[in-house]
Amino acid sequence: MADGDSVALITGAARGIGRACALRLAEEGMSLVLMDIGANTAEVPYALGSRSQLEHTRRLCSEAGANTEIFSGDVRNEQDVDEVMRITLARFGRLDAAVNCAGIVSPSGRSVDEISAQDWSTMLDINLTGPFRILSAAARIMKPQGSGSIINIASTAGLVGYRHFAGYVASKHGLVGLTKAAALDLAPHGIRVNAVCPGSVRDAPELEGTMLREVANALELNGDHEQLFLRDQPSNALVDAADIAETVAWLASGRSRSVVGAVVTVDGGFTSR
Ligand SMILES: NC(=O)c1ccc[n+]([C@@H]2O[C@H](COP(=O)([O-])OP(=O)(O)OC[C@H]3O[C@@H](n4cnc5c(N)ncnc54)[C@H](O)[C@@H]3O)[C@@H](O)[C@H]2O)c1
């Protein structure tokens, strides 16, 4: 199928990397279904994407020429996941790419022996079980089509450990494992599953993302946190969300047709040290 007739679902699309992916896939000519929780939740200690930010992403994608639906839903909620798939099929009749971008970085900032069971569950439910729900529901639509691309936004925390981020690190290592196992299950059906591991992504004002600042907050870092993260970057630059979106666009397209179960690192060399 030509990209111009293709349909992509992106979770976590209200802002940040999800918004960058939506804009890039709109440029590719794909029709879009954008999902985000669109509200704060008591279990997460910082502001999540809002409904108005999700609407803003839709406006930007529509201006770029994409047919765009939005849905406020929580990847922890099975009914919300079913509903976003129902909306996708009702509006567009198919699903070619599913991008699991929704995620949280905190509650974090504690030694592993100080993490509460509830904080652990919240992290795993949003960052690992949420992508599993989206992936399996997407696969049920893609199997009869005989094609599809599922892209999991993991992290360098899916490849190496970080002190005081055991929940986040475990969730992202789990997502890398899910990617590889699901790739083997779904490859015979023409469905490719791959992961992208971003390094430290700059919080760009036009994308309204806050994750790097939240990492700094969890670590109680003082001063210019971008400068502190830069010290660990071999290429002496933080990653731009557009660089992640470019990789996602490639994985969503037929240009990557032989790429199956891959874990693509986009981190400026951080994990090569
Ligand atoms: N920013 C970075 O430096 C960085 C680095 C590595 C990996 N990542 C990963 O990239 C992804 C996007 O990060 P970002 O920087 O854009 O963060 P962000 O906080 O700006 O965006 C994440 C979005 O996910 C949404 N979301 C959170 N919980 C949700 C839920 N339960 N259901 C639906 N939506 C939910 C939020 O509302 C928000 O809009 C995350 O999975 C993150 O772990 C980010």
Side-chain angles (χ1 to χ4, degrees):
M1 158 152 305
D3 287 334
D5 302 317
S6 303
V7 180
L9 164 66
I10 304 169
T11 69
R15 67 182 189 195
I17 295 172
R19 179 182 287 173
C21 291
L23 287 168
R24 185 65 189 83
L25 295 184
E27 269 177 31
E28 292 278 303
M30 297 184 87
S31 297
L32 302 173
V33 180
L34 308 178
M35 175 174 175
D36 201 285
I37 191 169
N40 294 331
T41 176
E43 299 90 334
V44 179
Y46 63 94
L48 295 178
S50 66
R51 173 77 190 185
S52 65
Q53 287 177 317
L54 183 59
E55 285 167 357
H56 186 55
T57 306
R58 169 170 53 190
R59 215 163 21 250
L60 295 171
C61 293
S62 299
E63 283 166 12
N67 299 316
T68 309
E69 282 285 333
I70 56 174
F71 175 66
S72 296
D74 189 332
V75 296
R76 289 175 293 183
N77 184 326
E78 191 100 40
Q79 281 153 358
D80 286 355
V81 171
D82 288 346
E83 181 60 11
V84 80
M85 298 299 166
R86 192 196 64 72
I87 290 169
T88 303
L89 288 179
R91 171 80 194 268
F92 299 117
R94 58 182 296 116
L95 179 62
D96 299 284
V99 184
N100 268 313
C101 194
I104 56 167
V105 74
S106 223
S108 288
R110 291 174 188 278
S111 174
V112 64
D113 51 306
E114 295 167 357
I115 298 174
S116 72
Q118 177 172 348
D119 287 352
W120 176 266
S121 298
T122 299
M123 188 64 77
L124 272 285
D125 204 7
I126 294 178
N127 284 9
L128 180 56
T129 312
F132 159 73
R133 289 189 189 95
I134 294 282
L135 179 152
S136 50
R140 287 192 287 275
I141 295 174
M142 291 170 174
K143 265 187 181 179
Q145 295 174 178
S147 66
S149 173
I150 298 172
I151 300 151
N152 295 323
I153 307 299
S155 168
T156 50
L159 302 169
V160 297
Y162 288 87
R163 282 186 70 227
H164 291 175
F165 280 87
Y168 186 72
V169 166
S171 71
K172 294 299 188 177
H173 273 70
L175 189 53
V176 167
L178 172 65
T179 300
K180 293 179 182 177
L184 297 179
D185 286 348
L186 298 175
H189 301 276
I191 304 167
R192 297 183 298 113
V193 186
N194 293 290
V196 179
C197 290
S200 296
V201 177
R202 180 181 293 109
D203 290 334
E206 72 277 12
L207 299 173
E208 302 179 282
T210 65
M211 193 163 274
L212 205 60
R213 193 179 65 220
E214 295 308 335
V215 173
N217 287 344
L219 292 171
E220 297 179 2
L221 295 179
N222 296 315
D224 182 340
H225 67 273
E226 286 204 353
Q227 285 304 322
L228 293 171
F229 288 113
L230 257 181
R231 286 200 310 227
D232 293 328
Q233 289 298 107
S235 52
N236 202 29
L238 296 178
V239 177
D240 280 327
D243 301 335
I244 311 302
E246 188 62 35
T247 309
V248 166
W250 172 66
L251 289 172
S253 76
R255 304 192 294 278
S256 59
R257 62 184 177 277
S258 298
V259 182
V260 175
V263 181
V264 183
T265 305
V266 186
D267 71 349
F270 178 85
T271 48
S272 297
R273 294 170 309 159

